[in-house]
Structures are given as structure tokens and as C-alpha cells.
Amino acid sequence: MRRREFITLLGGAAAAWPVAARAQQAGMPVIGFLSSRSSNDSALQIVAFRQALSEAGFVEDRNVAIDYRWADGQYDRLPELAADLVGRQVAVIFAGGPAAHVAKAATTIPIVFVSGEDPVEFGLVASLNRPGGNITGVSTFNAVVGSKRFELLHELVPNAAVIALLVNPKYPSAGSETRETQAAAQAIGLNLIILNASTESEIDAAFATLVRQRIGALVVTGDPFFVSRRDKLVALAARHAVPTIYVQREFATAGGLIGYGTSITDAYRQASILHRPDFEGRKARRSAGRAAHQIRSGHQPENRQGAALADSADPARDRRRGD
């Protein structure tokens, strides 16, 4: 099977075993790729991931294999998918978004994650400088700039007395981003309406509420489910003339009004670099990148690339801030 033909079958369980089998027969290391999103939604990120590997001398299907598992926005599928990768005895697992928590609970195999949340607050790592255990990765901190998104939207639509926040309650960092945005609304003296949606029908219901209550603007929180439904969200916002701010630039390129957040594509690129030491069973080390405290304090996250976490065994990290 040619590479391009295989890529079209990334999400299928039937295609998973031949990948691992061929890699084992060829003696190639295997990266287990666990994502809560779909292969179509992650196309740009996968290109960046593979490119960074290639630049380091690892070319997919030549001297490294990638075994993909896609949850297609169904978070309850992640434990089963993670267990399958663990059973394949992959060398390292990449885990995106909510998949990071599932992977950490499932195995002692080295894990490299990309997450939009604060990895310390949500228990992924012990600290930014010393992640500890078998896990390290890149955080975009998109979830912790929710208050900034709210403030930008208020500046854009100053006459909106009520603003809504669209939240997927099943997303691990939903509560944190909600609290931050509520605090920002209270500081300005605006009413904030929380709208929950974790299914297609609930998105429709949320916009029906927006129209019925004549809510002046909308903030869409960072969540892989919403990213996978970005065309639907952008279309609904346009149809009902609701000024809306989103977490990623992909929403803006899809026709949305504003996307404010760090680059998830760059985060995948950095995560790919972090995988390299694990091909021989060693713990992941920190790649080049800005320290996490710089990401926290930045006012233009779209120009940031994400925070790569340190390896707990790296003595040079003792001289950096963040513990």
C-alpha cells in the first residue's frame, strides 16, 4: 500500500495492525498517535508533525512508523484507543488535548503531549521545569487566556450588555476557562451567559438561545470538539449575525470574525521534536522553545509557539524559573 493511500485510512482500526506489524518486522520505532480529534481536522498539524520529524532525520514509513488513533470528538473512546496503543508496545505516545490525561493514566510508556491547559494545574506534570514521571510536552496555554478573549470581544462590541460563553462541559479545562471569563465579565460589569454544548444538537440549541435572548456577542472556548465543528460554528454565527471570538486562527481562516490563541500547529511541531529521544526508550527531553512563564505573560499569543516542558533529569533546568 502506498503512503498516500494509507493516510486516507488513518482513523480505521483495520489499518492500525498492518502499521505496527510492518514496523516491527522492519525494526522501526513506532510512535503511537492518540488524538481526540479527527484526521481531517488535524491535517495541518499532522503535516507539521511529520515535517519536524523529517528534519530530524526520521521519515514516516522509512525509518519510523506512526500508528494513529482518532476519537473523532468522542472523548469516551479515548481509553479504549489508548489501551490499544499500549498493547501494540509502541516506543512513545503522542497525546493531543484530553488524550493526554487518558494516556497518562493508561501506561508508563513515555508520553509527549500537546495541551491548551495549564499542565500543572490539571495534574499532567509535577512542575513546568521538572515534569516528572513518563510525561512531558508542549502547552499552548490557550485555556488560560480566556479572559483576554473576552476583553477583546468587549472592545470590539462595546454596546453588548450580555455576552455568552460556549463551553463543552466534557473538556477537562472547561471549568478553569469559565471561571477566568466570569471574573473578567464581573470586572467589567457585564452579564455572562454560559451555554453548554457537547453534541451537534446542543450547538444548535445554544445558538437558538443566543437568538431568543438577544445576546450581543459570543466567546467560543478552546476545545477539540469545537475545532472539529468550526465550519458549523462559523456558519451559525454569520447566519445569526453574532460577533464571535474563537480560540484558534483556523476559525478565522474558515470565515470567523476573530481567532485569538497560540499556534497549535507550531505546538505539534515542537512535540514532534520532543519525541526523538524516546525512539530508543529514553525519557523525552526539552526541545528549543520559550519558557512557560513567557507564554503566561504574553499579550499576543498568536505570535507564541507554546511552552515545551523540561525533562526532570536535565540539570540545566535548575537555573530556570517555573518550579
Side-chain angles (χ1 to χ4, degrees), residues 19-55:
V19 176
R22 289 199 306 271
Q24 290 172 356
Q25 292 173 0
M28 291 189 294
V30 181
I31 298 173
F33 194 103
L34 181 64
S35 175
S36 61
R37 299 166 64 178
S38 72
S39 57
N40 288 337
D41 294 326
S42 303
L44 292 176
Q45 288 75 46
I46 292 299
V47 169
F49 189 86
R50 291 175 177 143
Q51 182 178 359
L53 280 176
S54 178
E55 291 171 354

Tab-separated table of all heavy atoms in Angstrom, residues 19-55:
chain	number	residue	atom	x	y	z
A	19	VAL	N	0.258	-1.359	10.262
A	19	VAL	CA	1.290	-0.361	10.544
A	19	VAL	C	2.276	-0.898	11.562
A	19	VAL	O	3.491	-0.898	11.366
A	19	VAL	CB	0.658	0.943	11.055
A	19	VAL	CG1	1.750	1.933	11.437
A	19	VAL	CG2	-0.232	1.551	9.992
A	20	ALA	N	1.750	-1.364	12.688
A	20	ALA	CA	2.624	-1.862	13.748
A	20	ALA	C	3.379	-3.100	13.305
A	20	ALA	O	4.566	-3.264	13.609
A	20	ALA	CB	1.797	-2.151	15.000
A	21	ALA	N	2.683	-3.978	12.584
A	21	ALA	CA	3.329	-5.214	12.154
A	21	ALA	C	4.487	-4.939	11.202
A	21	ALA	O	5.571	-5.495	11.347
A	21	ALA	CB	2.293	-6.120	11.486
A	22	ARG	N	4.259	-4.082	10.220
A	22	ARG	CA	5.330	-3.760	9.275
A	22	ARG	C	6.508	-3.093	9.985
A	22	ARG	O	7.662	-3.351	9.675
A	22	ARG	CB	4.793	-2.840	8.172
A	22	ARG	CG	3.859	-3.507	7.202
A	22	ARG	CD	3.749	-2.681	5.919
A	22	ARG	NE	3.376	-1.309	6.191
A	22	ARG	CZ	2.133	-0.878	6.270
A	22	ARG	NH1	1.126	-1.733	6.126
A	22	ARG	NH2	1.854	0.396	6.493
A	23	ALA	N	6.196	-2.210	10.935
A	23	ALA	CA	7.264	-1.516	11.644
A	23	ALA	C	8.101	-2.487	12.461
A	23	ALA	O	9.331	-2.408	12.491
A	23	ALA	CB	6.669	-0.440	12.552
A	24	GLN	N	7.417	-3.429	13.148
A	24	GLN	CA	8.152	-4.398	13.948
A	24	GLN	C	9.022	-5.282	13.067
A	24	GLN	O	10.166	-5.595	13.404
A	24	GLN	CB	7.167	-5.232	14.753
A	24	GLN	CG	6.490	-4.438	15.866
A	24	GLN	CD	5.370	-5.215	16.541
A	24	GLN	OE1	5.038	-6.331	16.141
A	24	GLN	NE2	4.789	-4.627	17.571
A	25	GLN	N	8.485	-5.686	11.925
A	25	GLN	CA	9.259	-6.531	11.022
A	25	GLN	C	10.478	-5.798	10.481
A	25	GLN	O	11.525	-6.382	10.265
A	25	GLN	CB	8.362	-7.000	9.868
A	25	GLN	CG	7.269	-7.969	10.305
A	25	GLN	CD	6.296	-8.275	9.185
A	25	GLN	OE1	6.424	-7.758	8.069
A	25	GLN	NE2	5.318	-9.118	9.462
A	26	ALA	N	10.322	-4.483	10.266
A	26	ALA	CA	11.419	-3.695	9.716
A	26	ALA	C	12.353	-3.157	10.796
A	26	ALA	O	13.360	-2.529	10.480
A	26	ALA	CB	10.852	-2.523	8.916
A	27	GLY	N	12.012	-3.390	12.072
A	27	GLY	CA	12.843	-2.892	13.158
A	27	GLY	C	12.734	-1.400	13.373
A	27	GLY	O	13.621	-0.779	13.956
A	28	MET	N	11.638	-0.786	12.890
A	28	MET	CA	11.462	0.660	13.050
A	28	MET	C	10.784	0.978	14.378
A	28	MET	O	9.929	0.230	14.839
A	28	MET	CB	10.599	1.227	11.912
A	28	MET	CG	11.245	1.213	10.552
A	28	MET	SD	10.254	2.146	9.339
A	28	MET	CE	8.783	1.130	9.244
A	29	PRO	N	11.156	2.107	15.009
A	29	PRO	CA	10.401	2.560	16.181
A	29	PRO	C	9.009	3.007	15.753
A	29	PRO	O	8.799	3.433	14.623
A	29	PRO	CB	11.228	3.739	16.696
A	29	PRO	CG	11.956	4.244	15.504
A	29	PRO	CD	12.239	3.033	14.654
A	30	VAL	N	8.050	2.888	16.659
A	30	VAL	CA	6.671	3.243	16.362
A	30	VAL	C	6.198	4.324	17.341
A	30	VAL	O	6.321	4.171	18.552
A	30	VAL	CB	5.732	2.028	16.460
A	30	VAL	CG1	4.286	2.433	16.116
A	30	VAL	CG2	6.199	0.910	15.542
A	31	ILE	N	5.672	5.412	16.796
A	31	ILE	CA	5.022	6.445	17.597
A	31	ILE	C	3.532	6.150	17.625
A	31	ILE	O	2.898	6.017	16.573
A	31	ILE	CB	5.235	7.846	17.002
A	31	ILE	CG1	6.721	8.208	16.962
A	31	ILE	CG2	4.465	8.895	17.803
A	31	ILE	CD1	6.998	9.513	16.234
A	32	GLY	N	2.974	6.024	18.804
A	32	GLY	CA	1.531	5.915	18.936
A	32	GLY	C	0.933	7.310	18.977
A	32	GLY	O	1.322	8.125	19.802
A	33	PHE	N	0.023	7.603	18.090
A	33	PHE	CA	-0.538	8.953	17.957
A	33	PHE	C	-1.994	8.900	18.406
A	33	PHE	O	-2.851	8.327	17.732
A	33	PHE	CB	-0.432	9.413	16.506
A	33	PHE	CG	-0.665	10.878	16.292
A	33	PHE	CD1	0.394	11.747	16.074
A	33	PHE	CD2	-1.958	11.400	16.308
A	33	PHE	CE1	0.183	13.106	15.870
A	33	PHE	CE2	-2.184	12.746	16.105
A	33	PHE	CZ	-1.112	13.603	15.886
A	34	LEU	N	-2.289	9.494	19.559
A	34	LEU	CA	-3.624	9.447	20.151
A	34	LEU	C	-4.225	10.846	20.162
A	34	LEU	O	-3.675	11.766	20.764
A	34	LEU	CB	-3.536	8.916	21.583
A	34	LEU	CG	-4.855	8.776	22.349
A	34	LEU	CD1	-5.769	7.749	21.685
A	34	LEU	CD2	-4.578	8.384	23.802
A	35	SER	N	-5.363	10.999	19.497
A	35	SER	CA	-5.980	12.320	19.385
A	35	SER	C	-7.475	12.237	19.616
A	35	SER	O	-8.135	11.287	19.179
A	35	SER	CB	-5.700	12.934	18.007
A	35	SER	OG	-6.380	14.169	17.850
A	36	SER	N	-8.014	13.257	20.270
A	36	SER	CA	-9.463	13.343	20.455
A	36	SER	C	-10.145	13.883	19.207
A	36	SER	O	-11.366	13.847	19.093
A	36	SER	CB	-9.780	14.253	21.647
A	36	SER	OG	-9.295	15.564	21.418
A	37	ARG	N	-9.368	14.396	18.251
A	37	ARG	CA	-9.908	14.995	17.043
A	37	ARG	C	-9.996	13.959	15.922
A	37	ARG	O	-9.828	12.768	16.149
A	37	ARG	CB	-9.037	16.183	16.631
A	37	ARG	CG	-8.987	17.279	17.685
A	37	ARG	CD	-7.889	18.287	17.432
A	37	ARG	NE	-8.087	19.032	16.199
A	37	ARG	CZ	-7.276	20.001	15.785
A	37	ARG	NH1	-6.222	20.335	16.506
A	37	ARG	NH2	-7.510	20.646	14.661
A	38	SER	N	-10.262	14.415	14.711
A	38	SER	CA	-10.295	13.540	13.548
A	38	SER	C	-9.081	13.826	12.675
A	38	SER	O	-8.428	14.869	12.810
A	38	SER	CB	-11.574	13.764	12.744
A	38	SER	OG	-11.531	15.017	12.071
A	39	SER	N	-8.787	12.915	11.764
A	39	SER	CA	-7.641	13.109	10.885
A	39	SER	C	-7.846	14.321	9.977
A	39	SER	O	-6.898	15.068	9.698
A	39	SER	CB	-7.404	11.851	10.049
A	39	SER	OG	-8.561	11.518	9.297
A	40	ASN	N	-9.069	14.552	9.519
A	40	ASN	CA	-9.336	15.706	8.652
A	40	ASN	C	-9.107	17.017	9.389
A	40	ASN	O	-8.522	17.956	8.846
A	40	ASN	CB	-10.765	15.648	8.120
A	40	ASN	CG	-10.960	14.568	7.079
A	40	ASN	OD1	-10.005	14.139	6.438
A	40	ASN	ND2	-12.186	14.097	6.930
A	41	ASP	N	-9.572	17.095	10.640
A	41	ASP	CA	-9.423	18.325	11.420
A	41	ASP	C	-7.966	18.599	11.775
A	41	ASP	O	-7.606	19.736	12.071
A	41	ASP	CB	-10.244	18.242	12.716
A	41	ASP	CG	-11.731	18.191	12.449
A	41	ASP	OD1	-12.168	18.817	11.473
A	41	ASP	OD2	-12.451	17.516	13.197
A	42	SER	N	-7.150	17.568	11.774
A	42	SER	CA	-5.756	17.711	12.203
A	42	SER	C	-4.781	17.708	11.035
A	42	SER	O	-3.571	17.562	11.248
A	42	SER	CB	-5.399	16.566	13.161
A	42	SER	OG	-6.268	16.534	14.265
A	43	ALA	N	-5.269	17.893	9.836
A	43	ALA	CA	-4.419	17.749	8.648
A	43	ALA	C	-3.188	18.653	8.693
A	43	ALA	O	-2.058	18.206	8.453
A	43	ALA	CB	-5.232	18.024	7.388
A	44	LEU	N	-3.381	19.936	9.024
A	44	LEU	CA	-2.247	20.865	9.066
A	44	LEU	C	-1.257	20.493	10.156
A	44	LEU	O	-0.035	20.600	9.970
A	44	LEU	CB	-2.747	22.293	9.274
A	44	LEU	CG	-3.539	22.919	8.125
A	44	LEU	CD1	-4.049	24.302	8.525
A	44	LEU	CD2	-2.679	23.019	6.871
A	45	GLN	N	-1.781	20.065	11.294
A	45	GLN	CA	-0.914	19.697	12.409
A	45	GLN	C	-0.100	18.442	12.096
A	45	GLN	O	1.070	18.341	12.468
A	45	GLN	CB	-1.755	19.480	13.678
A	45	GLN	CG	-2.315	20.757	14.278
A	45	GLN	CD	-3.486	21.311	13.497
A	45	GLN	OE1	-4.400	20.576	13.124
A	45	GLN	NE2	-3.469	22.611	13.224
A	46	ILE	N	-0.724	17.498	11.393
A	46	ILE	CA	-0.006	16.283	11.024
A	46	ILE	C	1.130	16.595	10.061
A	46	ILE	O	2.230	16.042	10.165
A	46	ILE	CB	-0.970	15.259	10.399
A	46	ILE	CG1	-1.951	14.747	11.454
A	46	ILE	CG2	-0.208	14.088	9.797
A	46	ILE	CD1	-1.280	14.053	12.604
A	47	VAL	N	0.890	17.508	9.143
A	47	VAL	CA	1.954	17.919	8.212
A	47	VAL	C	3.131	18.501	8.986
A	47	VAL	O	4.292	18.168	8.735
A	47	VAL	CB	1.411	18.945	7.194
A	47	VAL	CG1	2.569	19.562	6.408
A	47	VAL	CG2	0.441	18.280	6.234
A	48	ALA	N	2.844	19.377	9.954
A	48	ALA	CA	3.908	19.990	10.766
A	48	ALA	C	4.634	18.942	11.594
A	48	ALA	O	5.869	18.975	11.734
A	48	ALA	CB	3.312	21.060	11.669
A	49	PHE	N	3.889	18.000	12.143
A	49	PHE	CA	4.454	16.926	12.956
A	49	PHE	C	5.434	16.092	12.142
A	49	PHE	O	6.565	15.842	12.550
A	49	PHE	CB	3.301	16.069	13.486
A	49	PHE	CG	3.683	15.046	14.515
A	49	PHE	CD1	3.748	15.379	15.853
A	49	PHE	CD2	3.958	13.727	14.137
A	49	PHE	CE1	4.077	14.423	16.812
A	49	PHE	CE2	4.294	12.782	15.084
A	49	PHE	CZ	4.348	13.129	16.430
A	50	ARG	N	4.996	15.673	10.958
A	50	ARG	CA	5.855	14.855	10.109
A	50	ARG	C	7.060	15.638	9.606
A	50	ARG	O	8.171	15.100	9.485
A	50	ARG	CB	5.061	14.343	8.916
A	50	ARG	CG	3.995	13.304	9.249
A	50	ARG	CD	3.195	12.976	8.014
A	50	ARG	NE	2.212	11.943	8.228
A	50	ARG	CZ	1.009	11.927	7.670
A	50	ARG	NH1	0.652	12.923	6.869
A	50	ARG	NH2	0.171	10.955	7.905
A	51	GLN	N	6.843	16.911	9.301
A	51	GLN	CA	7.937	17.715	8.777
A	51	GLN	C	9.054	17.853	9.799
A	51	GLN	O	10.242	17.737	9.460
A	51	GLN	CB	7.428	19.093	8.368
A	51	GLN	CG	8.504	19.985	7.762
A	51	GLN	CD	7.961	21.323	7.317
A	51	GLN	OE1	6.768	21.596	7.437
A	51	GLN	NE2	8.829	22.173	6.814
A	52	ALA	N	8.665	18.096	11.063
A	52	ALA	CA	9.687	18.233	12.103
A	52	ALA	C	10.437	16.922	12.311
A	52	ALA	O	11.660	16.918	12.511
A	52	ALA	CB	9.042	18.696	13.410
A	53	LEU	N	9.737	15.811	12.249
A	53	LEU	CA	10.415	14.517	12.335
A	53	LEU	C	11.388	14.332	11.177
A	53	LEU	O	12.527	13.882	11.355
A	53	LEU	CB	9.379	13.390	12.318
A	53	LEU	CG	8.646	13.053	13.603
A	53	LEU	CD1	7.612	11.975	13.343
A	53	LEU	CD2	9.616	12.597	14.691
A	54	SER	N	10.924	14.690	9.985
A	54	SER	CA	11.762	14.531	8.795
A	54	SER	C	13.029	15.371	8.881
A	54	SER	O	14.112	14.914	8.509
A	54	SER	CB	10.954	14.905	7.550
A	54	SER	OG	11.746	14.810	6.388
A	55	GLU	N	12.878	16.597	9.393
A	55	GLU	CA	14.042	17.474	9.536
A	55	GLU	C	15.051	16.910	10.516
A	55	GLU	O	16.243	17.224	10.445
A	55	GLU	CB	13.582	18.863	9.981
A	55	GLU	CG	12.816	19.616	8.901
A	55	GLU	CD	12.173	20.890	9.423
A	55	GLU	OE1	12.227	21.123	10.650
A	55	GLU	OE2	11.606	21.642	8.600
